[in-house]
Amino acid sequence: MYTDIAVIGGGASGLAAAIGAKTENPNVSVTVFEKLDRVGKKLLSTGNGRCNLSSRRLVSEHYHGSVKNLMEIIRNTPSAEEFFMTMGVPVISDEQGRMYPRSESAASVLRSLRMRTSELDIIEECGFELTEIRRNKRGFIITSKSGITAECRRIIVSAGGYAAPQLGTDGYVMRLFRDMGYKTAKLCPAIAPLRVSSDKLKGLKGIRVKGSVSAVSGGEILKTEYGEIQITENALSGICVFNLARFFNEYEGRLALRLDFAADLEKSELTDYLERVRIQRASYPLEELLTGFFSKNLAVYLVKNTFGRPLTEKISTLRKRDIIALADRIKSLEFEISGCSSWNNAQVTAGGIHGSCVDTELQSIRDRGIYFCGEILDADGDCGGYNLQWAWSSGLWAGRNCACSLKGEK
Ligand SMILES: Cc1cc2nc3c(=O)[nH]c(=O)nc-3n(C[C@H](O)[C@H](O)[C@H](O)COP(=O)(O)OP(=O)(O)OC[C@H]3O[C@@H](n4cnc5c(N)ncnc54)[C@H](O)[C@@H]3O)c2cc1C
């Protein structure tokens, strides 16, 4: 089999790369080689099936990694709105600036991408798991696990990272390039829960509460996020935690999360409120002190954890200093992080092929003719549509540059 451009991996960035290449140079043949039996399987799970395909707040603070011209690539490729409008998919956004297809259906995004690839005569070769790349006179020979070979002049590598291996991405292709001598940045599950030893979370399982979470190391606050905090048997979760998961990479063994369950109130406002209920509910047991302020489990946990006394004691036994201690606990409950989540529970891979391995066109510096895009590169974004936007932009960019390099060669 022969194709001008072989795209390795039919995920978000691979499909965008194929479209970008064919749009730039309709004379080239483009084939997407996908390991699974269908392309775009991960896309179907994005945004809980709604596909948070981009953000209205595309600023560099939301991106991480070593690809130096990442923002330039995003600025110089069509916006998600433009890209999807060419496929007849209008885009809407919520109050946080998260962008979704109007249908709020990831399946309809994949269907539209595939209608576009079909219009452009892009070929899909599913069940092709790349295991080897060799150079030949014309370009490259790629080989699949089952021994099928294909010849091509250019390769675009869009095989993703390690996150969510159940959706096709087990990091094999990244390891292949690492073994070929490519520098890789340290890997870590990102957009993922963070683990806390289960005895520390006893009594908190199932709690969902709005608040803020700060990543703390050696007493220094590294970053604070606001949103819904979710607590499971052995992990802290929720979007605000997801966005701090990447700190585990750098601060492993000395990272804590500090939770503020009343981030909307100043400490003095909270103390005033608690003081009022102390007087108002004087004849009630301690377990009723926070009734109406938090759900039962959290209310009981905080009172028990702060006072260490039987919950049947009367609220009237509390002193002003107890109220101050409770306010402190509500606004600053710290948990040491014992581990990061498994790749199965992570949405994104932090780390990957280092930005120094590619030029501004995302072409490999050592192996000319090979381009990279998407999550396989050391580039990741926060939760909120940033990763898919990187997949579309880097795919279109690599595809366009790759196809451009073939102009005049035929
Ligand atoms: C559950 C979940 C929800 C998410 N939700 C969002 C969201 O709402 N918004 C957002 O911005 N981001 C979201 N993400 C992240 C986003 O999906 C990824 O960052 C994005 O899909 C990366 O695109 P990619 O093309 O680089 O890799 P992928 O989409 O992972 O595609 C890589 C493809 O390569 C194939 N492949 C792997 N190895 C081989 C091989 N050896 N040979 C051939 N093919 C191979 C894989 O099967 C896969 O199809 C979510 C991720 C997960 C797991």
Side-chain angles (χ1 to χ4, degrees), residues 5 16-26 28 30 156 395-396 399-400 402-403:
I5 299 177
I19 292 170
K22 221 28 196 175
T23 311
E24 177 66 32
N25 186 352
V28 294
V30 178
I156 302 176
L396 289 169
R400 188 198 280 173
C402 176

Side-chain angles (χ1 to χ4, degrees), residues 133-318:
I133 298 176
R134 272 182 295 122
R135 262 202 190 275
N136 76 350
K137 267 202 199 129
R138 244 166 130 188
F140 305 92
I141 304 277
I142 57 171
T143 308
S144 78
K145 196 173 183 177
S146 55
I148 300 167
T149 59
E151 191 182 10
C152 58
R153 285 200 286 160
R154 300 283 187 273
I155 296 176
I156 302 176
V157 185
S158 51
Y162 281 77
Q166 66 280 17
L167 300 172
T169 38
D170 58 5
Y172 179 86
V173 178
M174 205 189 286
R175 288 196 294 281
L176 187 76
F177 279 93
R178 191 199 56 200
D179 295 347
M180 284 161 69
Y182 282 66
K183 181 177 170 185
T184 53
K186 190 176 168 197
L187 298 161
C188 172
I191 309 199
L194 282 169
R195 289 215 305 269
V196 172
S197 87
S198 51
D199 53 315
K200 297 277 181 344
L201 294 179
K202 228 178 199 156
L204 288 172
K205 184 180 161 189
I207 280 168
R208 285 168 171 256
V209 60
K210 290 241 162 61
S212 75
V213 184
S214 301
V216 181
S217 185
E220 183 201 346
I221 294 182
L222 306 169
K223 195 176 180 196
T224 300
E225 292 275 336
Y226 299 83
E228 189 182 67
I229 305 164
Q230 295 172 20
I231 306 180
T232 69
E233 195 176 354
N234 58 4
L236 297 174
S237 187
I239 291 176
C240 49
V241 174
F242 288 176
N243 280 337
L244 300 173
R246 58 183 353 279
F247 284 107
F248 186 80
N249 209 1
E250 198 177 335
Y251 296 93
E252 184 171 355
R254 48 201 172 93
L255 181 69
L257 290 190
R258 188 180 290 166
L259 313 190
D260 179 347
F261 294 117
D264 55 330
L265 296 179
E266 291 297 329
K267 193 169 153 210
S268 58
E269 292 175 298
L270 178 63
T271 315
D272 288 350
Y273 163 79
L274 294 173
E275 191 54 20
R276 276 201 308 279
V277 287
R278 178 172 77 106
I279 294 159
Q280 201 180 347
R281 295 180 182 168
S283 61
Y284 286 93
L286 283 180
E287 69 175 335
E288 302 290 8
L289 184 64
L290 293 173
T291 300
F293 196 79
F294 290 126
S295 63
K296 174 122 191 189
N297 283 0
L298 183 57
V300 166
Y301 174 91
L302 287 164
V303 169
K304 218 164 143 182
N305 194 269
T306 310
F307 305 133
R309 295 201 235 147
L311 293 173
T312 47
E313 279 187 15
K314 292 270 161 52
I315 290 176
S316 59
T317 60
L318 294 178

